[in-house]
Amino acid sequence: MNKRNLLTSLILITAVLTSTVKAFGYAQVRQRLLTIAEPAVAIEKLTENNAGNIAVETGIHSGLGASFQLQTNDDDSGYDYILTATTPTTGGSTSAFTKINDQTGIVFVNVSAEPTLDDIDNAKNGSGLNRNVIVYPISMEIDNPMTVEYVPNHATYDNCWQVRVNGGTSGVLTQTINGTPLAGTYTIGHDAAGSYQATIVFTAYSK
């Protein structure tokens, strides 16, 4: 009697174990992640030499300049990278960049005795009769593959310098202002004593 009951119990346990066996198939979960980096530009001034003394006899100063670090994660289709310059006149501010006889220049004016717009235009044209205006040569250079060029009469930014990144992401722009005035833009009799200045701005404009 005891043996028969034990055997029956063993058979039931085996049946239960057999019925709980399961086969598991292949399973996969896939997840796709997406983040968006917005277009960005950083412009930092690295060095500057923005003050000097003009020799009264010649109009020569020791030279001015600055350097800027440009960094971007976008290309030329996203931004216009522009340097503009302005200078005051008796009738309001005007562009300070010009080109005289294939030489790019920047107009400095006497802030204590602001010139007329005609005086500045005469200086830009190299025609003389430009009281309280002095034009100094200016040049720009930037690291490859970026390029920089002077653009006269830009439809949006007037006379300006335009940087193209050309697929680059980082470059140093070096601006140099030579100390010898362009011919015919400085005379003792026309240019009164005082501070002469121009303002340059480096801007990335979103398109």
Side-chain angles (χ1 to χ4, degrees):
M1 182 69 176
N2 290 337
K3 289 183 180 180
R4 184 177 298 172
N5 289 339
L6 180 60
L7 180 59
T8 302
S9 299
L10 290 174
I11 292 172
L12 290 174
I13 292 171
T14 301
V16 170
L17 291 174
T18 301
S19 67
T20 58
V21 173
K22 296 182 180 180
F24 292 92
Y26 177 74
Q28 183 183 66
V29 175
R30 181 172 296 175
Q31 181 182 22
R32 177 173 292 174
L33 302 175
L34 176 66
T35 60
I36 298 175
E38 295 292 338
V41 177
I43 299 174
E44 178 186 2
K45 185 186 292 183
L46 300 179
T47 62
E48 65 179 349
N49 175 22
N50 55 12
N53 293 315
I54 298 173
V56 176
E57 298 83 359
T58 59
I60 294 174
H61 61 77
S62 58
L64 305 173
S67 63
F68 303 87
Q69 175 82 49
L70 170 62
Q71 293 179 297
T72 181
N73 65 355
D74 205 0
D75 57 22
D76 292 301
S77 66
Y79 289 91
D80 281 333
Y81 307 92
I82 303 293
L83 290 108
T84 56
T86 57
T87 194
T89 76
T90 55
S93 64
T94 187
S95 174
F97 286 139
T98 188
K99 194 167 189 178
I100 303 173
N101 298 326
D102 295 325
Q103 174 66 67
T104 51
I106 182 169
V107 174
F108 283 71
V109 304
N110 190 324
V111 295
S112 300
E114 291 179 353
T116 65
L117 187 57
D118 286 342
D119 285 316
I120 290 179
D121 286 342
N122 288 340
K124 287 180 177 180
N125 296 329
S127 60
L129 299 176
N130 48 300
R131 293 181 179 276
N132 297 321
V133 180
I134 310 172
V135 183
Y136 292 98
I138 187 171
S139 62
M140 304 275 185
E141 296 180 350
I142 197 166
D143 295 335
N144 289 327
M146 297 184 181
T147 56
V148 59
E149 65 174 333
Y150 177 67
V151 182
N153 303 313
H154 191 287
T156 303
Y157 312 112
D158 202 354
N159 297 343
C160 66
W161 289 80
Q162 183 166 14
V163 173
R164 299 187 188 279
V165 298
N166 300 319
T169 58
S170 180
V172 175
L173 174 74
T174 303
Q175 162 199 297
T176 303
I177 299 173
N178 188 284
T180 302
L182 292 178
T185 67
Y186 174 78
T187 59
I188 295 176
H190 284 174
D191 299 313
S195 295
Y196 287 73
Q197 75 173 31
T199 301
I200 297 176
V201 179
F202 189 4
T203 308
Y205 296 95
S206 178
K207 293 184 178 180

